[in-house]
Amino acid sequence: MLALFRSEDPARPPFEARHDTAVLTAIREILDRGGVVAGTSAGLAVQQAAPMVSGGTSREAWARDAAAGYADDDALRYIPAGGLGFFSEALLDSHFTEWGRVPRAIRLAQATGERLAIGVDEHTALVVRRTERTGEVIGTGGVHLLDLAEAEFAEGTSGPGATGVRWTHLTAGDRIDFARGVTTRAASIHVAPGDGPAPERANDLWGDTGGPVLLALAQRLLASPERLATADTSRSTAGTGDASDPAPGPRFRLSLHRDERTTWTDPGGFTDLRLSITPLPSAA
């Protein structure tokens, strides 16, 4: 095991007071000289500045609150002190489309007070130039931006809810300027709706095969004349993942809204799609 931090208390994880080891000091020097530091999966997430996600599923993130720390279960948790501190523009998450992490990222951003969350798909990278504060997408998947600047949250008896999240999906060749908050597309941008078939409601959003469902639904919506598409969470999954609490947890409906700010591209990218997560009645 490669140790990058030395904790004040060896018996506790490095959640708070930490010191760089010689290895991490050398990595920082390489990065400062213009070298490349990259990682996959946890290697991507650990490049995060404070705070850093440490585990959990989208289902569990919306079944109960996020908590600081780490545990080997499905609950949403994060490290307040962050990771290696190489990236400070937004929250970071990996396996984003494949593991259905859009709702998880929204819930974590809400819990930690962060405005922007970024998710990176598999076989994809966001190449960040820290001095210029820019990034470019490479690879076969996409990079997702979730902007909570206009979002509103509620905690009701049927479960929590969120409205007004803005979702942007970048594909290969697209760029983002973090300093100006501007994205540049490699492909032509469409403002008018497409003429494809209307998307049908998805009904197994958080099931075992539900990871890519939400992105596919968004892309079908934008390629059609419709302004709204919805997806419901699975009926069959447990709420807490804890054997001591087998009762089903709350179910949710994710709504995607196209409005005057929404644009899309032929490779499947889009900008400013409005996303809401609202509780479903138990009988729905």
Side-chain angles (χ1 to χ4, degrees), residues 141-204:
V143 170
H144 307 255
L145 313 179
L146 296 167
D147 190 340
L148 278 66
E150 302 171 4
E152 297 181 358
F153 297 93
E155 299 288 337
T157 56
S158 299
T163 59
V165 177
R166 291 287 179 169
W167 180 14
T168 293
H169 177 233
L170 305 178
T171 55
D174 293 344
R175 298 172 179 266
I176 179 169
D177 185 323
F178 292 106
R180 298 189 299 142
V182 174
T183 57
T184 304
R185 295 290 184 173
S188 297
I189 297 172
H190 300 289
V191 177
D195 56 4
E200 297 181 359
R201 178 182 297 166
N203 291 305
D204 192 20

Side-chain angles (χ1 to χ4, degrees), residues 36-147:
V36 175
V37 174
T40 299
S41 190
L44 181 153
V46 78
Q47 298 188 52
Q48 173 81 63
M52 179 191 76
V53 66
S54 58
T57 64
S58 285
R59 184 194 70 210
E60 293 304 309
W62 286 84
R64 50 183 171 176
D65 294 336
Y70 172 81
D72 189 17
D73 59 20
D74 288 342
L76 177 60
R77 290 186 172 85
Y78 63 96
I79 307 300
L84 303 180
F86 297 156
F87 182 81
S88 59
E89 304 289 355
L91 292 175
L92 273 179
D93 210 343
S94 57
H95 304 288
F96 208 66
T97 292
E98 294 78 9
W99 292 4
R101 285 178 166 173
V102 168
R104 176 176 103 158
I106 293 171
R107 191 70 163 154
L108 182 60
Q110 175 198 6
T112 57
E114 296 293 318
R115 169 188 167 175
L116 184 65
I118 293 179
V120 181
D121 291 343
E122 294 174 4
H123 311 292
T124 310
L126 178 64
V127 181
V128 176
R129 292 170 174 80
R130 296 197 308 164
T131 54
E132 292 88 352
R133 294 186 63 196
T134 61
E136 180 179 355
V137 180
I138 62 173
T140 58
V143 170
H144 307 255
L145 313 179
L146 296 167
D147 190 340

